[in-house]
Amino acid sequence: MSHNELADEILRLVNGGENIRTLTHCATRLRMEFNDRAAVNSEQIEKLPGVISVVERGGQFQIVVGNDVQRVFRVLEKATSGNKPTTTPQAKQERGGIVSQIISVISTTFTPVIPAITGAGMIKALLAICKLTGVMNESSPTWQLLNIISDAAFFFLPVLLAYGAALKFECNAILAMTIAGALLHPDLGKMLASGKPVDFLGLPFQLADYAGSVLPIILTVWLMSYIERFAERVSPSIIKFFVKPMIILLVTAPLALVVVGPLGIWLNDVVASGAVIIDRHASWLIPMLMGGLQPFLVITGTAWAMTPIATGQLSKNGFEMINGPGMLASNIAQGAATLCVALKTRNKNLRQLASSAGFTALLGITEPSLYGVTLKLKRPLIAAMIGGGCAGIYAGLSGLVRYAFVSPGLAALPAFIGANPMNIVHALITCVIAIVVTFALTWILGFDDIPDGDTQPLKAAPAPVNLKPGTIISPLRGEMVPLAEVKDDVFSHGLLGQGVAIRPEEGVLRAPVSGKVMTFLPSCHAVGLMSHDGMEVLVHIGLDTVALGGQHFSSSLQVGDEVQAGDELVRFDLAAIAAAGYDLITPVVIINSDEYAVTTAPAAPVDFGQPIMELSLREQAA
C-alpha cells in the first residue's frame, strides 16, 4: 500500500478530514485529536498495511507508521488544511486527568518544533566534529555563521513553542508568536543589562532573559487563549478586525512580562535546580531510570515530560544530562534486543521486520522496534529495559552529557562531542554495554517463536453442499444474536457494516466464505476475508481481545492465504479468555455491506457451515 493509499484509508477510518481537530507528527507517529472520537475506527486503522500500531496516550490518538510518516502526513495535511479547530462537548469530556493534560500540552507544543531543534542540533554536532578534526576553528567566519544558525532555534525557542502551544490551546498562532517576540525583543535585553528598576503603570516587576525558555511562553499562550475568547465577545463586529488583536496584545503582552513570564522562569529554575541536586548526589539515578524505563514512558505517552527540562538545560548550559544519556542507552538496547530476535527467530516474516526495526532503533528511532517486535514478544522488552538501565548507570557515573537535541543513537553520536574530549568515549562505552547486556539477556531469556512450518496446517471442514453465491455461513458453533447486542458502539451501530454476532460454544473459528485472507494480526483475534465474489467479511473474536496480544489464541494463518468455506482458521481457549474478563461475543460483519442488500437469519443456535446471511448486489436486488 502506497503512502497516498494509506493516508486515504486513515482518512476514511477517522470519519474524514473534517473530524480531525489537530494533526501533527513526530519521527514515526501521526498525532491527532478529534472532534468526535467515537467515529474513529482504531481497530481497522491498526490493521492497515503500513501501520505498525495505534496508541492513545497523553490526550492524543497516535498512529505509528515508521519512516514514511512525513509523506503520509503531507497527504493528510492537504485533506485537513481547511479545517477550523473546534472544541466539542465530547472533546471536553475526554480530556483526562491533570497529568494526561500536561503531557498532551507538552507533546502538542513540542512536536512541530522538533525538526528545527533537531536540525540545529545536528549542525552543532557537525561543528563539534570540524573543531575536533581541525577542519575549522571558532575564529573562522564560516564556523561563526554556522554557529549562529545552530543557535537560532534555541534562542528563538519561545517563538517556535508559541506556534505549537497555539495549536493546542486553539488560539491565533501569529499573535502568540508576536507575544513571544516581545519577550525576546533586543530593547528588553538592553533594559535587563542596564540593571535599573523597571515598572509598568507604576507597578515594579522583574525582568528576565527569555531566550531558550520553555514554561513562560506555554503559560502565556494558555492565558492568551482565554483573553482571545474574551476579545471575541466584547469587540463590536464592525471594528472587530483591528480591535480584537489590539485587545489581545494589549492585555496578554504586559501580563506576560509582568506576571506570567517571571513565574514561568521561577518554575523553570526550580525544576532545573532539582535535577541538578539529584545529579550532584546520585548522578547514576536519572540516566538509569531513563535507560530502563524509556520504553514504558513511550508506551504511556509520558516520555515528553522531561523535554522542557532538557531543552532548558541545552539553551542555558549548552548541554543536558536529563534525556540524552539515558535515551542513548535505551535506544541502543532496543536495537540490540530486536536484532537478537532477528537472528534467533525461524519465522521469516518476523526476521524481516526485526532486522529492519532493529537497525532503525540503533540509529535512534525505536517505535517500529518497540511496537512491532519487543512489546509483542515481551521477554525481549524486559531484556532491553535491563540492558538500558545497566548502560544508563555507567552513563550517569561517567558524567555523560548531550550537547545537541537529537534522537540519541549511533547516527547521532556526534551530538556527544563537546568540551570534554572523554564524553564521546563514555558514549561509546554506554552503547557497548547496552548492546552486550541486552543481546545476551535476549538470547538467554528467549521468546515464544512461531517458526515457519512448525505449526500444524489449517484443517478443512467440508463446506455445505450447493452453497449459493452471496451466502455467508456460520464460522462458529454457538448462539447467533443481532449485532445490536454487541456492547461496542462500533459494531452495534453498524459503523463497520451490517452483520450478526455469535456467542461461541467451541473455541474454533472456521472460514465463513471462500476467498483470500486480507487482514490477520499476530494477536489472532480478528480475520478479514475477501470472498471470490467480492464480499469483505470481518470476524472479530470477542471484544477488546487485542489486548491479550495473542495469548490463548493459536493459528498458522497468514495474510494472502487462500481458504475455502469451512476451513479452520483460528483456535482459541474459551475458558481462559472468559476468565481474563473478556466478552467472547463475536461479530461477523460485512465491511462493504453498503454495496449489498443483506438478509440475516433469525437469532437461534447455529452450527458450523449453517447459512447466517444472504447477500445480493443492490442493483440486482432492485
Side-chain angles (χ1 to χ4, degrees):
M1 180 179 289
S2 70
H3 59 273
N4 285 322
E5 292 171 334
L6 178 58
D8 290 341
E9 283 299 300
I10 290 174
L11 273 176
R12 179 178 67 83
L13 294 171
V14 301
N15 200 29
E18 63 278 0
N19 190 36
I20 301 176
R21 186 155 52 95
T22 63
L23 172 66
T24 56
H25 76 90
C26 57
T28 59
R29 307 184 190 194
L30 296 166
R31 297 171 178 268
M32 303 178 182
E33 295 179 17
F34 302 108
N35 294 317
D36 183 5
R37 173 61 184 84
V40 178
N41 189 337
S42 58
E43 280 195 6
Q44 288 299 313
I45 293 173
E46 190 166 21
K47 295 172 185 176
L48 291 174
V51 173
I52 297 171
S53 181
V54 170
V55 184
E56 293 192 66
R57 294 289 186 274
Q60 288 185 330
F61 186 89
Q62 304 169 16
I63 305 175
V64 185
V65 297
N67 296 330
D68 283 335
V69 64
Q70 291 190 19
R71 291 192 287 178
V72 178
F73 171 79
R74 282 194 288 268
V75 179
L76 290 172
E77 188 178 34
K78 291 179 182 177
T80 60
S81 59
N83 288 7
K84 181 180 179 181
T86 59
T87 303
T88 65
Q90 174 151 347
K92 291 180 180 178
Q93 291 171 2
E94 296 182 351
R95 288 184 301 175
I98 184 65
V99 175
S100 176
Q101 292 181 52
I102 291 172
I103 298 300
S104 176
V105 168
I106 294 173
S107 62
T108 305
T109 300
F110 271 88
T111 298
V113 177
I114 287 177
I117 57 180
T118 300
M122 289 307 294
I123 295 176
K124 281 278 189 187
L126 179 63
L127 287 173
I129 295 175
C130 291
K131 183 179 178 181
L132 185 68
T133 56
V135 174
M136 280 188 289
N137 56 54
E138 296 180 6
S139 61
S140 165
T142 303
W143 195 94
Q144 293 173 1
L145 180 60
L146 290 175
N147 192 51
I148 289 172
I149 295 172
S150 64
D151 281 342
F154 292 98
F155 182 86
F156 293 103
L157 187 60
V159 178
L160 304 180
L161 293 175
Y163 173 77
L167 291 180
K168 177 60 184 177
F169 297 122
E170 300 177 0
C171 55
N172 190 295
I174 298 300
L175 290 177
M177 295 164 73
T178 301
I179 293 169
L183 296 177
L184 299 172
H185 197 284
D187 285 352
L188 196 65
K190 293 177 183 177
M191 295 171 67
L192 179 63
S194 69
K196 297 178 181 179
V198 181
D199 67 89
F200 178 76
L201 298 179
L203 298 174
F205 69 95
Q206 181 70 41
L207 282 174
D209 182 8
Y210 296 102
S213 63
V214 174
L215 291 181
I217 192 60
I218 294 178
L219 295 173
T220 296
V221 177
W222 171 70
L223 177 65
M224 178 191 139
S225 66
Y226 290 96
I227 295 172
E228 182 174 318
R229 292 167 201 159
F230 169 78
E232 175 72 27
R233 289 197 305 270
V234 302
S235 300
S237 299
I238 194 169
I239 55 174
K240 181 178 292 187
F241 178 75
F242 50 84
V243 170
K244 177 183 172 182
M246 181 191 72
I247 293 174
I248 294 171
L249 292 175
L250 196 58
V251 176
T252 309
L255 284 175
L257 290 167
V258 177
V259 180
V260 181
L263 174 62
I265 290 291
W266 178 78
L267 290 173
N268 206 83
D269 290 344
V270 167
V271 174
S273 298
V276 170
I277 291 172
I278 293 175
D279 185 64
R280 184 181 301 131
H281 292 89
S283 60
W284 52 270
L285 181 60
I286 294 177
M288 182 197 73
L289 293 176
M290 293 297 293
L293 299 181
Q294 181 68 14
F296 174 77
L297 298 179
V298 171
I299 294 168
T300 58
T302 53
W304 289 95
M306 308 297 283
T307 303
I309 307 173
T311 52
Q313 286 188 340
L314 276 169
S315 300
K316 186 175 181 180
N317 305 325
F319 61 85
E320 65 88 19
M321 75 289 190
I322 295 295
N323 269 4
M327 286 180 65
L328 176 67
S330 178
N331 292 353
I332 297 298
Q334 275 291 320
T338 308
L339 289 177
C340 183
V341 170
L343 286 175
K344 197 170 185 180
T345 183
R346 288 185 288 171
N347 185 302
K348 60 183 180 181
N349 293 327
L350 178 58
R351 182 182 300 114
Q352 182 179 0
L353 171 62
S355 298
S356 173
F359 179 73
T360 304
L362 288 179
L363 296 181
I365 306 298
T366 60
E367 278 90 343
S369 170
L370 177 60
Y371 290 111
V373 181
T374 59
L375 182 60
K376 293 178 179 179
L377 298 179
K378 298 179 180 61
R379 276 174 278 175
L381 177 60
I382 295 172
M385 294 175 72
I386 295 173
C390 292
I393 291 175
Y394 175 83
L397 292 175
S398 65
L400 181 65
V401 297
R402 178 175 60 164
Y403 292 100
F405 193 100
V406 291
S407 182
L410 297 182
L413 281 175
F416 293 88
I417 300 175
N420 178 7
M422 285 300 295
N423 197 69
I424 184 62
V425 176
H426 295 317
L428 290 170
I429 295 174
T430 298
C431 293
V432 170
I433 294 173
I435 291 172
V436 172
V437 174
T438 305
F439 196 95
L441 281 175
T442 306
W443 194 272
I444 294 169
L445 294 177
F447 51 90
D448 294 329
D449 195 11
I450 307 177
D452 288 342
D454 278 11
T455 53
Q456 293 189 0
L458 299 176
K459 299 177 182 178
V465 181
N466 299 324
L467 190 63
K468 296 189 298 182
T471 298
I472 309 294
I473 62 173
S474 177
L476 296 162
R477 178 179 290 124
E479 180 77 18
M480 189 176 74
V481 297
L483 198 61
E485 292 192 15
V486 178
K487 295 177 181 178
D488 186 315
D489 291 345
V490 173
F491 291 111
S492 62
H493 292 173
L495 298 181
L496 291 182
Q498 299 181 54
V500 299
I502 299 173
R503 300 186 188 278
E505 297 174 357
E506 183 177 334
V508 178
L509 176 72
R510 298 186 182 276
V513 293
S514 297
K516 187 175 183 179
V517 179
M518 304 303 292
T519 304
F520 190 66
L521 295 177
S523 54
C524 302
H525 74 290
V527 182
L529 301 172
M530 170 73 80
S531 73
H532 294 315
D533 47 359
M535 299 180 294
E536 298 178 29
V537 185
L538 171 67
V539 184
H540 192 288
I541 304 172
L543 302 182
D544 300 321
T545 45
V546 64
L548 291 170
Q551 188 179 9
H552 311 312
F553 292 84
S554 62
S555 175
S556 61
L557 197 66
Q558 293 186 0
V559 173
D561 285 350
E562 291 284 342
V563 297
Q564 297 297 316
D567 283 357
E568 182 180 309
L569 304 182
V570 181
R571 284 187 175 268
F572 53 100
D573 190 331
L574 279 171
I577 297 172
Y582 293 90
D583 187 345
L584 277 159
I585 191 168
T586 300
V588 183
V589 178
I590 310 302
I591 299 299
N592 58 342
S593 58
D594 55 335
E595 301 174 14
Y596 297 92
V598 181
T599 303
T600 60
V606 290
D607 203 348
F608 294 116
Q610 185 175 333
I612 56 175
M613 283 184 279
E614 298 287 343
L615 276 64
S616 58
L617 289 171
R618 291 193 181 277
E619 294 81 356
Q620 296 176 354

